[in-house]
Amino acid sequence: MDKLIITAALNGAEVTRAQQPALPITPEEIGIAAVQCAQAGASIVHVHARNPDGSPTQDINMYRQIIAEVSQRCDVIVQISTGGAVGMTPQERLAPVALRPEMATLSMGSVNFGGGVFINHPADIEAFAREMQAQGVKTELEVFDSGMLATTTRWLANGILSSPAHIDLVLGVPGGMAGTPQALMYLLSQLPVGATWGVSAIGAAQLPLTTMAILLGGHVRVGLEDNICYRKGELASSNAQLVDRVVRIAAELERAVATPAEARQMLGVKPRVHNVNIM
Ligand code: KMH
Ligand code: ZN
């Protein structure tokens, strides 16, 4: 089996400090959380920018600072969100791709997202894909339901998406595919040939489904964006605590963990030398 790539989804756009006091918000807090996760075994950090008041933003300067704060502390791969938050315009969401981050997410379809609708028009998805290709940014394709996987397969065949694909199966979003083993097994039966894949699962589904992914040869994403708890009734103390747990599980299951350099090679991520001077 390939080594395990662990992504730490540090903050997301929806979780608040009131819900999870350890949530990193400022670029410096995100940088500190990133290095803690990297030391624990994460090779990618998935990040969302926030305004100082905690509200989500896709402001390019905020992402520039985040990349600098992470890169000056460790060599973990920075994967920026182009999902942003429900209600943002496609133009807003795509803006930080101009920074040419090593990786960015690309949501493969529309889905009800809790009480809102996460809209991804096919023309916008295609435009995002083309821009990421033009900027040399490795995409992680976010799949929230089985129809999005079918689109992915079709678009790999017609060249809108470039191969090899790296797919994140996101399970348990209220409105998306259920966070169950059966749902994961169905999605895996529909994976395009040659794709690498990982699992993100929301809330209590994070632990069982990421454990399944480790066993089945996939990669995993953990972190406060997807799950604010360590166990039922107990908040996680940090993102790194969730990474620590998945590293221990991988060790028990005899799956070696990839370094950032190994993850770059496995995924075909082009390394960037970022200007870490943030002032
Ligand atoms: N916040 C969600 C609406 C991504 O980061 O690319 C979208 C999201 C996906 O979190
Ligand atoms: Zn995200």
Side-chain angles (χ1 to χ4, degrees):
M1 256 184 215
D2 286 339
K3 288 191 176 178
L4 175 69
I5 298 172
I6 300 173
T7 299
L10 300 177
N11 58 352
E14 292 82 21
V15 178
T16 65
R17 264 282 167 73
Q19 294 168 321
Q20 179 28 287
L23 188 78
I25 287 176
T26 67
E28 188 184 12
E29 288 167 353
I30 292 170
I32 292 167
V35 66
Q36 290 169 349
C37 289
Q39 285 167 353
S43 47
I44 302 175
V45 288
H46 168 74
V47 295
H48 286 248
R50 302 285 190 111
N51 291 309
D53 68 359
S55 58
T57 175
Q58 289 294 99
D59 178 70
I60 189 167
N61 288 317
M62 203 59 95
Y63 275 102
R64 186 180 283 117
Q65 287 180 52
I66 290 170
I67 291 170
E69 289 284 355
V70 176
S71 304
Q72 71 187 1
R73 289 178 170 86
C74 56
D75 77 335
V76 71
I77 298 166
V78 180
Q79 178 194 87
I80 67 159
S81 171
T82 67
V86 166
M88 289 177 171
T89 65
Q91 292 72 21
E92 242 180 311
R93 286 167 47 189
L94 189 59
V97 170
L99 295 171
R100 304 181 67 241
E102 289 193 311
M103 285 186 86
T105 54
L106 175 59
S107 291
M108 287 307 301
S110 301
V111 62
N112 286 350
F113 201 92
V117 187
F118 182 38
I119 297 174
N120 292 287
H121 190 286
D124 294 327
I125 306 171
E126 184 173 342
F128 278 34
R130 293 197 192 286
E131 181 62 13
M132 290 181 206
Q133 278 165 23
Q135 300 284 6
V137 175
K138 175 72 183 182
T139 55
E140 179 177 277
L141 307 174
E142 307 300 316
V143 164
F144 296 83
D145 212 336
S146 59
M148 299 188 199
L149 202 47
T151 301
T152 301
T153 302
R154 234 175 24 251
W155 286 18
L156 285 165
N158 68 16
I160 295 175
L161 296 173
S162 47
S163 296
H166 179 57
I167 300 174
D168 182 30
L169 304 170
V170 187
L171 294 124
V173 168
M177 199 91 172
T180 61
Q182 292 82 355
L184 175 57
M185 295 314 292
Y186 175 70
L187 292 175
L188 293 181
S189 77
Q190 303 297 307
L191 272 184
V193 176
T196 49
W197 62 277
V199 166
S200 300
I202 307 304
Q206 184 170 86
L207 178 58
L209 294 193
T210 53
T211 302
M212 278 181 74
I214 296 170
L215 281 167
L216 294 168
H219 304 289
V220 297
R221 173 171 123 173
V222 296
L224 301 179
E225 171 168 348
D226 301 332
N227 172 30
I228 62 173
C229 291
Y230 189 74
R231 57 171 68 88
K232 190 172 167 60
E234 181 185 326
L235 289 175
S237 59
S238 65
N239 279 288
Q241 186 193 28
L242 296 168
V243 176
D244 277 334
R245 175 165 64 184
V246 88
V247 167
R248 287 198 304 276
I249 293 168
E252 288 295 334
L253 298 173
E254 301 196 353
R255 181 101 188 261
V257 171
T259 64
E262 289 167 337
R264 282 184 180 90
Q265 194 166 29
M266 289 162 68
L267 299 178
V269 171
K270 296 194 185 82
R272 300 263 192 266
V273 179
H274 289 292
N275 178 5
V276 297
N277 179 8
I278 57 170
M279 298 313 287

